[in-house]
Amino acid sequence: MGVSQLLLVGLVILLGLCGVLVPGVPGSWLVWAAVLWWALEDPQPVAWAVLMGATVVLFLSQVVRWVLPPRQLRESGATPRMAVYAGLGAFLGFFLLPVLGAVPGFMGGIYLCERLRLGRHGEARAALRTAMRRGGSSVCTELFTCLLIMGAWLGAVLWG
């Protein structure tokens, strides 16, 4: 697989990561489809292992999200700006504190957005709790899954 195709696969994965934060866009399925594309174009054992792992992780994520409360983020006061802060926080956290940092980064992004908007620690903390209860945990689960898949893909591409 050439560099240009790898860049396109990476771009589709990034588009899927952004799609997780936008209601109505099948972000996790875009990430999985990009990994499928990569595995079909570069049929090596590591590519198929990443695809199988991505499929299992995505399935488990869907089961977990089914158990969590449904998304009602608009009612909690969530804004597109909050989604950007949460997504950037999760992305930075994923790389700064490898893998596990995505969850505190996601929550930290929401807290920072609310702290800037509301100005007080207590109100920002209450807004964070409300956002997480109203569907933020579902978004965090899906975003964490997509970040895991992206990390596995990136590791496989860089490793071999």
Side-chain angles (χ1 to χ4, degrees), residues 14-71:
L14 284 176
L15 185 65
L17 286 173
C18 293
V20 168
L21 302 170
V22 178
V25 177
S28 54
W29 297 108
L30 279 173
V31 171
W32 183 82
V35 173
L36 174 66
W37 175 22
W38 169 68
L40 290 173
E41 288 293 321
D42 192 13
Q44 295 182 8
V46 70
W48 290 105
V50 170
L51 179 63
M52 286 189 305
T55 304
V56 168
V57 168
L58 193 60
F59 175 74
L60 291 175
S61 166
Q62 295 300 318
V63 169
V64 168
R65 287 184 54 225
W66 180 63
V67 174
L68 292 172
R71 290 184 183 182

Side-chain angles (χ1 to χ4, degrees), residues 86-158:
L88 287 175
F91 191 77
L92 289 174
F94 186 80
F95 288 105
L96 293 176
L97 182 63
V99 181
L100 298 177
V103 175
F106 181 84
M107 293 173 67
I110 293 174
Y111 174 80
L112 178 63
C113 180
E114 291 301 298
R115 180 69 189 254
L116 292 173
R117 184 175 69 90
L118 300 171
R120 302 186 78 141
H121 169 69
E123 292 173 1
R125 222 174 78 198
L128 169 64
R129 265 195 311 262
T130 302
M132 291 304 286
R133 286 182 185 150
R134 291 284 186 146
S137 54
S138 177
V139 174
C140 186
T141 301
E142 187 176 359
L143 186 60
F144 182 70
T145 301
C146 290
L147 285 169
L148 279 176
I149 294 169
M150 180 207 60
W153 172 79
L154 192 59
V157 167
L158 294 177

